[in-house]
Amino acid sequence: MPKVIYRGAESVIYLDDGNVVKERARKSYRIPEIDEKLRRERTRKEVRLLVDARALGVMTPKIIETGETKITMKHIDGKRVKELLDTSDRSTIARTCREIGRLVGRLHSNNIVHGDLTTSNMISTGRDIYFIDFSLGDTSRKIEDKGVDMKLLHEALESTHFKILKTCWDNIIKGYKAEYKDAVKVLEKVDEIERRARYSGKE
Ligand SMILES: Nc1ncnc2c1ncn2[C@@H]1O[C@H](COP(=O)(O)OP(=O)(O)OP(=O)(O)O)[C@@H](O)[C@H]1O
Ligand SMILES: [Mg+2]
């Protein structure tokens, strides 16, 4: 029996022969035809973005095999950045966050938005930070889409790493600006999105 290591809202992750298999589970609340189509599309998109990101020098797990609704990839032996940030000293936190900013900047310069930038979707091997879980990602040239990506990252830090938020965010921005020429435009957009949310009473 394969060993299930994670059961998410949309997918099941298990180990098979040392590799990670991510399989999109059927959702009974969706009309079967639509469910099938959605699972196939998300799988295809995730594969494409994993490959594209890697080609740009943003580490992602190597893909071994793909099926219609499942991806078999290399297991990354490391620590989720979520746990890493919780157990590290300030200088490691700063260095890690700067690297995260640089990598997101690399993606955004090449018009890839991740769609779910949380520290659970990043794995550190000590040498590299791997990005996973691109299923909500897309290719987009729009500053707004990149702004939403950064806003989600900020929200994720607020909710999971509140105590180190400032150190994290300052360093993420440093790395992001160093890597991406339109960084300031995107960050202005993040402020605008925040203001809009406040005004409409969502925050
Ligand atoms: N290649 C991998 N190597 C090591 N661990 C992995 C790998 N892929 C996934 N994981 C582990 O499984 C967890 C869930 O994976 P992932 O984020 O891709 O699924 P998900 O959040 O359920 O995705 P979705 O939001 O698309 O339903 C990760 O947080 C990570 O701990
Ligand atoms: Mg995830």
Side-chain angles (χ1 to χ4, degrees):
M1 269 303 277
K3 186 171 179 263
V4 173
I5 55 169
Y6 181 90
R7 207 179 281 275
E10 301 265 320
S11 55
V12 182
I13 313 262
Y14 55 89
L15 287 177
D16 181 22
D17 207 12
N19 294 317
V20 168
V21 182
K22 177 169 181 173
E23 184 149 22
R24 304 211 145 259
R26 210 169 263 130
K27 291 282 149 199
S28 54
Y29 58 80
R30 287 187 200 128
I31 296 167
E33 292 74 32
I34 294 176
D35 183 51
E36 186 81 4
K37 190 164 164 264
L38 216 65
R39 284 158 59 224
R40 268 195 248 130
E41 274 174 10
R42 292 208 176 138
T43 303
R44 211 179 310 127
K45 185 172 268 181
E46 182 158 21
V47 169
R48 182 168 56 83
L49 294 174
L50 282 167
V51 172
D52 288 354
R54 168 173 273 270
L56 302 170
V58 175
M59 298 302 275
T60 62
K62 273 202 179 118
I63 290 168
I64 313 239
E65 202 183 353
T66 61
E68 291 219 306
T69 56
K70 80 177 186 185
I71 305 171
T72 307
M73 60 189 133
K74 272 265 167 71
H75 177 260
I76 307 305
D77 196 8
K79 219 175 181 178
R80 285 198 308 179
V81 170
K82 182 172 195 281
E83 280 78 34
L84 179 76
L85 291 183
D86 281 341
T87 55
S88 297
D89 55 42
R90 287 275 150 178
S91 75
T92 309
I93 293 170
R95 188 163 28 84
T96 306
C97 289
R98 196 180 168 127
E99 177 65 3
I100 292 169
R102 190 183 74 77
L103 293 169
V104 177
R106 176 68 66 90
L107 291 177
H108 286 184
S109 325
N110 290 282
N111 301 316
I112 293 181
V113 290
H114 180 280
D116 194 12
L117 285 174
T118 69
T119 50
S120 298
N121 289 333
M122 302 168 193
I123 303 172
S124 168
T125 60
R127 224 190 90 155
D128 296 297
I129 295 174
Y130 281 72
F131 279 27
I132 60 166
D133 201 0
F134 282 78
S135 54
L136 299 174
D138 217 334
T139 44
S140 169
R141 312 185 76 82
K142 288 191 200 136
I143 295 292
E144 168 95 24
D145 292 341
K146 296 169 189 179
V148 170
D149 223 18
M150 288 300 273
K151 167 77 178 136
L152 286 173
L153 176 58
H154 189 261
E155 275 174 8
L157 294 173
E158 255 175 348
S159 63
T160 35
H161 306 285
F162 190 72
K163 277 199 202 145
I164 51 167
L165 179 62
K166 186 165 164 42
T167 308
C168 272
W169 191 246
D170 287 353
N171 281 283
I172 285 175
I173 284 177
K174 256 190 221 162
Y176 189 66
K177 281 183 176 166
E179 185 69 30
Y180 180 30
K181 69 171 175 45
D182 288 336
V184 171
K185 278 191 217 163
V186 174
L187 295 168
E188 281 168 6
K189 193 53 97 173
V190 173
D191 290 342
E192 189 192 314
I193 296 168
E194 250 155 40
R195 279 198 302 274
R196 231 189 280 154
R198 251 200 310 272
Y199 186 68
S200 68
K202 280 197 195 127
E203 299 226 313

